[in-house]
Amino acid sequence: MALKIIFMGTPDFSVPTLRALVEAGHEIVSVYTQPPRAAGRRGLSEVKSPVHQAAELLGLAVRTPVNFRAEEDRAAFRVLDADVAVVVAYGLLLPEAILSGTRLGAYNGHASLLPRWRGAAPIQRAIMAGDAETGMMIMKMDKGLDTGPVALTDKVSIDENMTAGELHDALMLKGAKLMAQAMAKLEGGDLPLVQQAEDGVTYARKIEKTETRIDFSRPATEVHNHIRGLAPFPGAWTEIPTGKRAERVKVHESRIGAGEGPAGTVLDGDPLTIACGEGAVRLTRLQKAGGKVLDAADFLRGNALPAGTVLS
């Protein structure tokens, strides 16, 4: 028999999993997602989350509580009488009353190899740390932060030039397939659960605006990992001199370059090779505020940055 599932998710990352569960024949009794957010230049319009929009196209009921502090919201969850809750990037910490509010508990699709990178930004943090691999894990949720026992794992290699956006898309698709497998095993009563290791715990804290500026005084490998770990969003940035003022530019892609010099200085040779504290990086795709993302050669046609120019 198909499971009665409450699905809980918000961004694009969650949508393939919702669709995979529907395609597998499970009954989605309700979809929970973050409330619509103000949008537009003046914030006068509201935009529904990607999960909200996908659920409506699938003809599924949607609920958007701000949180689960009110007893009426907890009661409304319990009354759905679901077998299981499936949680993928929902964006709210769930109280114990919700985690235990279904017959079989709540299962989360998490984008890391737990216990490494528990928390909010595992994809970005794995790349920024220079990890060679990560993966998707299906875990049974408990009251801790990503501390529950793991059911299934699927690993993904991280190429030295892979961006967070590329890794996001790879994990998004793997996560959908893995959750569908997990729910099939749960339905059949043979889903394994293994406690997480106590060693190797790290936390993927939320990306803050204050850490997005590129620090060229760091070694080239760290600068490169920083750039690709924040691409395409929120984007690592630097400032280039334009006349009497500096202009902010986002860097969407980079490569390890060759050469040395004072940190932040444009070097001779390949276009836009910038000296770092150790070594150099080559900036390959850039974007000025309000402009298009351009390859380095196209960017330089409208922004002369001769050797010796200092980026800050």
Side-chain angles (χ1 to χ4, degrees), residues 213-235:
R213 186 169 194 158
I214 300 170
D215 180 2
F216 289 108
S217 69
R218 297 163 65 185
T221 53
E222 293 183 13
V223 173
H224 176 54
N225 292 341
H226 180 249
I227 290 169
R228 65 195 185 98
L230 297 178
F233 182 84

Side-chain angles (χ1 to χ4, degrees), residues 258-261 265-275 280 282 305-309:
E260 59 182 23
T265 303
V266 179
L267 301 176
D268 286 317
D270 287 339
L272 274 182
T273 298
I274 315 299
R282 185 161 51 91
L305 295 173
T309 302

Side-chain angles (χ1 to χ4, degrees), residues 220-307:
T221 53
E222 293 183 13
V223 173
H224 176 54
N225 292 341
H226 180 249
I227 290 169
R228 65 195 185 98
L230 297 178
F233 182 84
W237 60 275
T238 187
E239 289 184 335
I240 63 172
T242 55
K244 295 182 179 180
R245 63 186 181 89
E247 186 170 2
R248 182 179 293 199
V249 173
K250 281 188 178 182
V251 182
H252 288 264
E253 286 184 11
S254 62
R255 296 290 187 270
I256 296 297
E260 59 182 23
T265 303
V266 179
L267 301 176
D268 286 317
D270 287 339
L272 274 182
T273 298
I274 315 299
C276 298
E278 295 176 11
V281 292
R282 185 161 51 91
L283 311 184
T284 57
R285 287 177 64 79
L286 306 94
Q287 180 185 25
K288 294 173 75 171
K292 296 179 180 179
V293 179
L294 300 174
D295 290 336
D298 293 329
F299 182 85
L300 287 171
R301 288 191 184 99
N303 305 275
L305 295 173

Side-chain angles (χ1 to χ4, degrees), residues 14-150:
S14 316
V15 172
T17 301
L18 173 59
R19 290 177 177 155
L21 295 175
V22 171
E23 290 170 3
H26 297 294
E27 180 186 356
I28 309 299
V29 295
S30 187
V31 171
Y32 279 76
T33 189
Q34 291 281 304
R37 302 298 187 194
R41 186 165 296 179
R42 298 182 179 179
L44 298 178
S45 60
E46 289 192 335
V47 175
K48 296 175 180 178
S49 76
V51 164
H52 195 148
Q53 296 176 50
E56 289 186 335
L57 288 174
L58 292 167
L60 302 174
V62 179
R63 299 182 180 185
T64 59
V66 174
N67 52 52
F68 289 96
R69 293 173 190 160
E71 176 54 34
E72 62 187 70
D73 288 327
R74 300 184 184 200
F77 185 93
R78 291 193 301 269
V79 124
L80 291 168
D81 193 29
D83 294 314
V84 63
V86 169
V87 185
V88 181
Y90 181 36
L92 284 180
L93 289 175
L94 300 179
E96 197 165 0
I98 297 301
L99 296 178
S100 60
T102 63
R103 184 171 64 88
L104 298 171
Y107 286 80
N108 175 235
H110 185 76
S112 83
L113 298 178
L114 295 166
R116 186 163 177 78
W117 303 128
R118 293 173 178 171
I123 294 174
Q124 294 92 335
R125 295 298 177 189
I127 291 180
M128 292 168 77
D131 290 1
E133 70 173 4
T134 186
M136 283 298 303
M137 281 187 156
I138 309 302
M139 52 164 277
K140 186 171 185 180
M141 299 176 73
D142 59 20
K143 62 183 179 179
L145 179 62
D146 300 327
T147 55
V150 173

Side-chain angles (χ1 to χ4, degrees), residues 160-175:
E160 64 180 0
N161 294 318
M162 179 179 273
T163 65
E166 292 166 340
L167 182 56
H168 169 283
D169 292 351
L171 292 171
M172 175 176 68
L173 298 178
K174 282 188 175 291

Side-chain angles (χ1 to χ4, degrees), residues 195-207:
Q195 293 297 323
Q196 293 183 36
E198 295 183 4
D199 296 331
V201 175
T202 59
Y203 289 93
R205 70 186 188 280
K206 180 180 176 181
I207 302 295

